[in-house]
């Protein structure tokens, strides 16, 4: 994986060390994502900089004691930066003492080195998603799903997109992973109960978060696009679906309305960003399996990041509790 150092595209080098590999005492000359930056004051009244640097393996604190008016003063959070310095140990934690820092030519950097990504095979996940589409029996619904997911441009972005900025599946490939998981769960629930419109539920599960491809910017850092902040993935998803429906023949107007309802109600409650609450059995099922997959994944990720010697996770702010992992927990 190539990246460019400095302001020009003249010098290329490979990223050599990821955050989780860095040990105290090492010389550092590498690229990182600037995740946080603060100007603080030393006892002598002079300023210094504290950073949080990151890549796909984690984050590491950094401090720059001198020269901040030159190198680091104009840098912004979310930029890719080239850092030179040395890894040191401070209060039992490895940090980087920075000698120099400068922005990189971001457009020529592969973001996969700096954003976390799914550990699963994306192409195999997408094949399973297409198999779920093949299982749909209603011709116009299947045509709609193929119009969305077989589009080369959208399909490529969908396979790369995260499902969120924080909370759950906040990594490259996370949207595909989450969508497939929700669809599989919905299919199992549909087979358990009678009277469920499986094709409608499956299509809603597959389409419920497609707007996140447009809501989230995931080129070098996961953040919201202007369009995403102003409209939300629900509105953006409906726009995509309505555009694709123009090329689908023999649609059922009532089923189209019910499908749109699945999209607008999948967050469950208005205070959670849902324009409407679920008002069909299929919509209620989709809301529950979507929430379950998001929360289970978020807790599993927290458990995986818990120190091997700890029996409990850190406090989960959104769920307002700690989770027990046991004395000999394994990665989930």
């Amino acid at each position: 994986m190539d990246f460019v150092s400095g302001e020009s595209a003249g010098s290329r080098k490979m990223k050599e060390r990821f955050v989780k590999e860095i040990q105290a005492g090492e010389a550092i000359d590498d690229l990182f994502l600037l995740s946080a930056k603060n100007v603080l004051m030393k006892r002598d009244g002079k300023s210094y900089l504290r950073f949080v640097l990151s890549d796909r393996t984690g984050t590491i604190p950094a401090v720059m004691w001198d020269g901040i008016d030159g190198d680091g003063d104009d840098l912004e959070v979310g930029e890719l930066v080239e850092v030179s310095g040395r890894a040191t140990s401070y209060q039992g934690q490895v940090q980087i003492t920075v000698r120099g820092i400068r922005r990189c030519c971001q457009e020529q950097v592969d973001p996969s080195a700096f954003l976390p990504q799914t550990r699963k095979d994306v192409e195999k996940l997408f094949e399973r998603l297409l198999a779920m589409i093949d299982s749909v029996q209603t011709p116009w619904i299947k045509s709609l799903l193929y119009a969305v997911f077989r589009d080369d441009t959208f399909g490529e972005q969908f396979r790369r997109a995260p499902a969120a900025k924080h909370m759950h599946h906040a990594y490259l490939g996370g949207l595909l992973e989450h969508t497939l998981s929700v669809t599989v769960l919905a299919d199992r629930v549909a087979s358990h109960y009678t009277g469920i419109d499986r094709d409608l539920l499956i299509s809603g599960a597959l389409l419920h978060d497609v707007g996140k491809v447009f809501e989230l910017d995931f080129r070098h850092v996961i953040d919201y696009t202007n369009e995403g902040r102003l409209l939300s993935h629900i509105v953006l998803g409906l726009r995509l679906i309505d555009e694709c429906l123009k090329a689908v023949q023999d649609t059922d107007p009532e089923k189209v309305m019910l499908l749109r309802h699945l999209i607008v109600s999948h967050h469950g409650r208005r205070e959670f960003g849902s324009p409407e609450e679920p008002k069909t059995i299929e919509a209620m099922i989709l809301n529950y399996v979507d929430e379950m997959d998001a929360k289970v994944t978020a807790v599993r990720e927290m458990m995986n990041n818990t120190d091997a010697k700890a029996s409990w996770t850190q406090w989960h702010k959104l769920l307002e509790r700690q989770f027990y992992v046991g004395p000999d927990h394994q990665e989930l």
Side-chain angles (χ1 to χ4, degrees), residues 272-314:
F272 297 156
S274 202
E276 283 295 335
E277 296 182 349
K279 295 174 182 176
T280 67
I281 291 292
E282 291 80 12
M284 185 174 66
I285 292 171
L286 178 58
N287 167 234
Y288 285 144
V289 296
D290 178 44
E291 183 178 8
M292 179 172 70
D293 186 65
K295 288 183 175 178
V296 168
T297 300
V299 173
R300 285 164 64 97
E301 289 172 3
M302 175 172 271
M303 288 179 170
N304 288 338
N305 291 325
T306 298
D307 188 284
K309 298 179 181 179
S311 296
W312 289 85
T313 67
Q314 296 295 315

Side-chain angles (χ1 to χ4, degrees), residues 215 225-237 239 273 275:
E215 182 184 47
T225 62
N226 290 336
E227 192 176 42
R229 291 181 188 276
L230 293 169
L231 300 179
S232 86
H233 70 279
I234 291 177
V235 172
L236 297 173
R239 185 179 69 183

Side-chain angles (χ1 to χ4, degrees), residues 129-295:
L129 183 143
L130 294 178
M132 294 301 297
I133 296 177
D134 284 336
S135 72
V136 172
Q137 301 299 307
T138 307
W140 74 264
I141 293 181
K142 183 180 291 188
S143 296
L144 170 63
L145 294 171
Y146 275 131
V148 173
F149 292 102
R150 283 293 196 185
D151 180 84
D152 290 340
T153 301
F154 177 82
E156 180 181 354
Q157 290 293 91
F158 181 81
R159 287 193 288 271
R160 289 190 62 250
K165 180 178 178 179
H166 301 297
M167 182 55 183
H168 71 95
H169 298 92
Y171 44 78
L172 298 180
L175 180 57
L176 170 57
E177 187 179 314
H178 171 62
T179 299
L180 179 61
S181 181
V182 170
T183 305
V184 170
L185 289 169
D187 188 32
R188 293 178 179 175
V189 174
S191 67
H192 181 74
Y193 295 103
T194 60
I196 305 300
D197 188 330
R198 179 188 181 275
D199 284 358
L200 184 63
L201 177 57
I202 293 300
S203 62
L206 289 166
L207 295 170
H208 78 285
D209 271 349
V210 291
K212 289 190 174 181
V213 169
F214 313 105
E215 182 184 47
L216 295 168
D217 182 351
F218 43 93
R219 290 170 297 175
H220 300 104
V221 62
I222 298 174
D223 203 350
Y224 292 98
T225 62
N226 290 336
E227 192 176 42
R229 291 181 188 276
L230 293 169
L231 300 179
S232 86
H233 70 279
I234 291 177
V235 172
L236 297 173
L238 283 178
R239 185 179 69 183
L240 174 66
I241 293 166
D242 287 345
E243 187 64 30
C244 291
L245 276 168
K246 294 177 181 178
V248 177
Q249 298 180 348
D250 301 321
T251 59
D252 180 333
E254 175 145 344
K255 288 290 181 67
V256 170
M257 177 180 64
L258 294 175
L259 175 58
R260 289 193 180 110
H261 176 67
L262 283 165
I263 307 305
V264 302
S265 66
H266 76 268
H267 278 193
R269 297 167 63 180
R270 290 185 176 88
E271 56 264 42
F272 297 156
S274 202
E276 283 295 335
E277 296 182 349
K279 295 174 182 176
T280 67
I281 291 292
E282 291 80 12
M284 185 174 66
I285 292 171
L286 178 58
N287 167 234
Y288 285 144
V289 296
D290 178 44
E291 183 178 8
M292 179 172 70
D293 186 65
K295 288 183 175 178

Side-chain angles (χ1 to χ4, degrees), residues 60-175:
I60 187 169
V63 60
M64 185 173 186
W65 297 111
D66 301 303
I68 72 169
D69 293 333
D71 290 337
D73 193 48
D74 64 340
L75 297 175
E76 297 182 4
V77 171
E79 292 188 302
L80 292 177
V81 293
E82 185 176 13
V83 174
S84 61
R86 183 167 295 277
T88 57
S89 180
Y90 177 70
Q91 294 183 345
Q93 183 180 22
V94 177
Q95 69 171 18
I96 297 176
T97 300
V98 178
R99 292 195 312 270
I101 183 170
R102 59 179 179 174
R103 68 168 48 86
C104 304
C105 182
Q106 302 201 33
E107 296 306 318
Q108 299 186 38
V109 176
D110 184 348
S112 64
F114 305 95
L115 291 178
Q117 54 191 321
T118 179
R119 290 172 290 180
K120 299 179 180 178
D121 187 317
V122 170
E123 294 308 317
K124 288 184 178 179
L125 291 177
F126 196 66
E127 287 177 7
R128 290 184 62 194
L129 183 143
L130 294 178
M132 294 301 297
I133 296 177
D134 284 336
S135 72
V136 172
Q137 301 299 307
T138 307
W140 74 264
I141 293 181
K142 183 180 291 188
S143 296
L144 170 63
L145 294 171
Y146 275 131
V148 173
F149 292 102
R150 283 293 196 185
D151 180 84
D152 290 340
T153 301
F154 177 82
E156 180 181 354
Q157 290 293 91
F158 181 81
R159 287 193 288 271
R160 289 190 62 250
K165 180 178 178 179
H166 301 297
M167 182 55 183
H168 71 95
H169 298 92
Y171 44 78
L172 298 180
L175 180 57

